[in-house]
Amino acid sequence: MASSTSGPPPKSPFFAPSTPRKLVPISTPGGTSRLVKVTPPNAAVREHKSTVWGATSNLVNAIVGAGIVGIPFAFKETGLVAGIFLVILCAILTEKSLRVLIDTAKHVNVPSYEMLFESTYGSFGFYFISVNMLIMAYGGCLSYLMIIKDTLPVLLGTERGDVGMERAVLTVSTMAIILPISMQRDMADLAKTSKISVIFQCTMVLVVVLFAPVSSSVSARGGLFEIASHSIVEHRVFVGLGVLSFAYVCQHSAFIVAGSLDRPSGGRWAMATGRALGLCVVLEAAIGVAGYLAFLDDTEGDILNNFMDLGGDGMKRAGNVARGLMCTTMFFVYPMDSFVCRHVLVVLFFRGRRAHEGDDASVLARRDRRVAITLIVYFSSLIPALMVDNVGSVLAITGTIGASCLAYIGPGLIYMAVYGDKFLVKVDEVWGPPAEDENQPPQDVESSQLLPSTNKGSESTKSSPSPTKTIMQGLAKDAAWYLLLMPLWCSIAETGKKKLSDFQEKEALKSPHINRLGKEARSNGMEMPPVPEEQERRRRPRGGSSGSLSSSMTSGGAGSGPKILPYGAVISGGGGGNKAIGAAILAKKRSGGDTAGKNRGGGEGEDNVDITDVPPAWSDFCVAIFFIVFGMVALCAGMVSILMTN
């Protein structure tokens, strides 16, 4: 018996993470002893957290990446005026989508993008969004390594075309720098490197703005007003829209960054997203305007290549400095997408509740798991980067599909599904049947015909609309119903409403857990309902002292009557446990009682609880529908542009 209680707890299977437990003897008040399973004090895993500025740096690092050097080319395709407008528009949409995703996740009480889609679209939604996240993150890892391979050997003085030396430089440099950084467990551990990367990105943009030949180019074309008047909107605007919209994609890492934020309330997350997108607008607008005005129709897909084509040692030196800064940022951006790849592999291939919910800190707390998955991601992206020089078509197609689904279509579908019941109510208010007068009692048809009419006259004719007006209103409503695609939106809302109800019933039967994103609560339903005095008296032990939760649940034998569980649940017989408590909570929610205690569920502080009592308005649903339509337009435009280019 002693051997069963000594020694460290055994490790869980590699693909089935579980909290290690061991048998510990305890004594009961009756003098007997028994063995129970308890969790050792050192078994709990605490995720490292970052400040608001740390989360902001991680978001900027995830957004900017390598796409910033293509912003001037996007301005060339859209036009100068349209390019500035689209940079601001895409930033506003991205900031809105980031807050929508986290707010709806708190509303549903799920901790990840995959589970948010699963709650409204079932298993299909879970795997759909997981695959898109993997596509985007893996494509990013591959492109970052290829940029390092094309840039770093040149900066080190290697001759172009020396394939062996390029591969050696890429392998050695990434193993020495990228691999150790990617081995970190938590996203918060990348905050310091992300801050360095943001400084280098700002410096690179500053170099481009200062050394780009803007003044000579603008003077040669007749001045800034002349250029702007002829470059308002170009016919290839959708190609540039695809480049700009995809440059802002960071939704695949949003939940990991938000979960790494210390006290992730809605206000703190809004501060992080606002600061990150504000800085990104400044950087991308500056490099886009300066790069396009400097080279106009000769602007290339990589603005740094234009610097190398110019004559003069000073210009080439500036280009090399910018390339060096860009290459350095790739070493710090790669781990961001590597973390997303690890996260997706955890939720897809590992078993258990914590793996399914994306609790990377707990699953990857074991070094062997973390090292194995990181190496798989690293070598699966390194080998293609070593062997292939151009995977532009493949990355363009996967990026177009993945970015549109993650950044725009996904958030819109999520909002319509999560608040589907509210949307259907608003639709019924506009297109539903006319409401009957509740103050007028129903009358029998035959008897009403025999009764004398006392309302004949001008008042009745004035109150009832004319048949022609009624018909016109009905036709207008029918036309608006189909022109606004209301059958489609109602179908999405109805599906989300049903799936979400089924999901919440299943989740309520599970043991309570802490959501790393915090939670949302309604201000009119926050407090726990008062416990009746009779139930409180029956909970207490016979000695009169207030007993613990476990003692109140287990007190009484087979003949001591029904058990009184928390939340006012009464269970007859010997049933109980977490499922019984979950069923009681669900019953209390259905009866209109308590929805969530302010600090219930593991001692979350008030900073983690977002109190809201504002129901969704028509404007919110219009924004969600705009997201879906905008994402579909970006998806189709991107695919068409790729096919036309090929």
Side-chain angles (χ1 to χ4, degrees):
M1 186 65 66
S3 61
S4 63
T5 62
S6 60
K11 286 186 176 181
S12 59
F14 188 85
F15 286 103
S18 62
T19 303
R21 298 181 178 181
K22 64 180 181 178
L23 295 175
V24 174
I26 64 170
S27 298
T28 63
T32 61
S33 61
R34 57 177 180 153
L35 295 173
V36 296
K37 288 183 178 181
V38 299
T39 302
N42 57 352
V45 177
R46 292 185 60 87
E47 182 180 3
H48 299 162
K49 297 294 183 178
S50 61
T51 62
V52 174
W53 280 112
T56 301
S57 301
N58 284 333
L59 270 181
V60 173
N61 213 18
I63 293 171
V64 176
I68 193 170
V69 294
I71 300 300
F73 174 77
F75 275 54
K76 170 189 170 183
E77 299 296 308
T78 62
L80 179 62
V81 178
I84 297 174
F85 172 76
L86 289 176
V87 163
I88 299 174
L89 176 63
C90 291
I92 294 174
L93 294 179
T94 302
E95 199 273 339
K96 176 67 175 177
S97 68
L98 290 174
R99 289 192 289 111
V100 164
L101 286 175
I102 302 303
D103 290 343
T104 51
K106 290 184 177 183
H107 181 78
V108 183
N109 195 25
V110 292
S112 65
Y113 204 169
E114 317 88 65
M115 285 199 68
L116 186 57
F117 249 83
E118 182 187 23
S119 66
T120 50
Y121 297 100
S123 299
F124 170 78
F126 181 86
Y127 290 107
F128 171 78
I129 210 68
S130 298
V131 170
N132 276 283
M133 289 175 62
L134 185 61
I135 289 174
M136 280 299 301
Y138 177 75
C141 292
L142 184 58
S143 62
Y144 300 150
L145 293 182
M146 294 183 65
I147 291 174
I148 294 175
K149 187 181 74 170
D150 293 339
T151 305
L152 187 58
V154 176
L155 296 175
L156 296 178
T158 304
E159 295 183 2
R160 284 192 172 273
D162 192 346
V163 179
M165 184 58 67
E166 290 179 353
R167 293 175 177 175
V169 170
L170 175 63
T171 304
V172 173
S173 61
T174 54
M175 280 190 173
I177 301 175
I178 285 182
L179 199 54
I181 299 176
S182 301
M183 288 291 180
Q184 302 297 316
R185 189 193 67 185
D186 300 321
M187 178 67 75
D189 298 330
L190 302 181
K192 294 182 176 62
T193 56
S194 292
K195 292 176 182 178
I196 298 174
S197 178
V198 170
I199 294 174
F200 285 0
Q201 290 164 355
C202 295
T203 307
M204 185 200 69
V205 172
L206 185 62
V207 169
V208 172
V209 171
L210 292 178
F211 288 90
V214 176
S215 58
S216 59
S217 176
V218 171
S219 300
R221 292 291 293 267
L224 180 61
F225 180 78
E226 183 69 18
I227 295 175
S229 61
H230 290 83
S231 182
I232 298 176
V233 179
E234 299 291 340
H235 65 280
R236 297 181 302 274
V237 62
F238 287 110
V239 178
L241 173 62
V243 175
L244 291 174
S245 61
F246 303 151
Y248 280 101
V249 173
C250 61
Q251 284 78 1
H252 56 300
S253 58
F255 283 82
I256 304 177
V257 176
S260 68
L261 178 63
D262 184 28
R263 294 178 287 117
S265 63
R268 290 171 63 81
W269 176 241
M271 289 173 58
T273 56
R275 293 173 181 176
L277 270 301
L279 179 59
C280 289
V281 166
V282 173
L283 293 178
E284 298 195 358
I287 194 173
V289 172
Y292 172 69
L293 292 178
F295 303 102
L296 296 174
D297 295 335
D298 296 329
T299 305
E300 298 185 21
D302 185 352
I303 189 62
L304 300 182
N305 291 334
N306 289 102
F307 280 84
M308 305 307 295
D309 297 336
L310 294 176
D313 294 337
M315 196 64 64
K316 290 185 178 181
R317 190 177 300 110
N320 286 329
V321 170
R323 281 181 175 274
L325 294 170
M326 185 68 185
C327 180
T328 306
T329 60
M330 295 300 100
F331 286 100
F332 299 142
V333 174
Y334 177 94
M336 299 287 299
D337 281 334
S338 176
F339 270 50
V340 178
C341 290
R342 290 191 334 191
H343 170 81
V344 176
L345 294 179
V346 166
V347 300
L348 289 180
F349 296 104
F350 282 71
R351 300 188 300 273
R353 181 179 178 184
R354 289 185 298 168
H356 185 75
E357 294 179 351
D359 187 1
D360 300 342
S362 299
V363 177
L364 301 180
R366 271 180 48 178
R367 185 178 296 274
D368 56 344
R369 292 194 189 113
R370 187 166 68 252
V371 170
I373 298 178
T374 304
L375 289 177
I376 289 174
V377 173
Y378 171 73
F379 283 110
S380 63
S381 57
L382 176 65
I383 294 174
L386 292 173
M387 304 300 297
V388 181
D389 292 330
N390 185 10
V391 290
S393 298
V394 177
L395 291 179
I397 294 174
T398 57
T400 299
I401 298 174
S404 299
C405 294
L406 293 173
Y408 305 113
I409 300 175
L413 290 176
I414 284 295
Y415 195 88
M416 293 294 296
V418 169
Y419 297 100
D421 54 344
K422 307 292 190 305
F423 179 76
L424 295 175
V425 169
K426 290 185 176 297
V427 170
D428 288 338
E429 292 175 354
V430 178
W431 280 277
E436 298 181 357
D437 189 0
E438 298 178 355
N439 298 325
Q440 182 176 358
Q443 295 183 1
D444 181 68
V445 178
E446 297 181 358
S447 62
S448 64
Q449 293 177 355
L450 299 177
L451 294 175
S453 177
T454 59
N455 296 329
K456 292 181 180 180
S458 60
E459 294 183 1
S460 61
T461 58
K462 290 181 181 179
S463 61
S464 60
S466 63
T468 304
K469 185 177 181 181
T470 303
I471 294 174
M472 294 301 295
Q473 289 178 348
L475 291 176
K477 283 187 176 181
D478 292 341
W481 174 265
Y482 292 103
L483 289 176
L484 297 177
L485 303 178
M486 295 307 297
L488 174 61
W489 313 130
C490 290
S491 176
I492 293 174
E494 189 66 39
T495 301
K497 175 183 175 182
K498 182 180 181 302
K499 292 285 187 181
L500 183 59
S501 177
D502 297 340
F503 177 82
Q504 288 178 335
E505 286 187 3
K506 294 179 181 178
E507 290 296 309
L509 299 180
K510 298 179 181 179
S511 59
H513 69 290
I514 299 176
N515 190 342
R516 63 197 295 266
L517 299 177
K519 56 188 177 183
E520 180 192 68
R522 297 285 174 178
S523 62
N524 56 359
M526 285 286 296
E527 299 299 329
M528 180 184 288
V531 180
E533 183 179 355
E534 177 64 19
Q535 291 188 7
E536 181 66 24
R537 184 185 61 80
R538 294 171 65 182
R539 282 189 193 178
R540 298 194 189 104
R542 295 187 179 181
S545 60
S546 59
S548 63
L549 176 63
S550 60
S551 64
S552 65
M553 292 175 58
T554 58
S555 62
S560 60
K563 296 180 181 179
I564 307 300
L565 294 179
Y567 310 96
V570 181
I571 297 181
S572 300
N578 292 329
K579 289 188 176 182
I581 297 177
I585 298 174
L586 183 60
K588 182 65 65 176
K589 288 181 180 179
R590 289 177 173 175
S591 64
D594 174 48
T595 56
K598 208 170 196 179
N599 294 324
R600 188 185 306 154
E604 289 180 301
E606 295 182 8
D607 292 332
N608 292 1
V609 181
D610 295 326
I611 305 175
T612 177
D613 55 358
V614 180
W618 267 116
S619 59
D620 299 317
F621 292 114
C622 291
V623 171
I625 293 174
F626 177 78
F627 269 110
I628 300 174
V629 175
F630 185 83
M632 293 300 299
V633 170
L635 173 62
C636 296
M639 294 300 296
V640 169
S641 64
I642 292 171
L643 295 176
M644 292 179 63
T645 302
N646 291 335

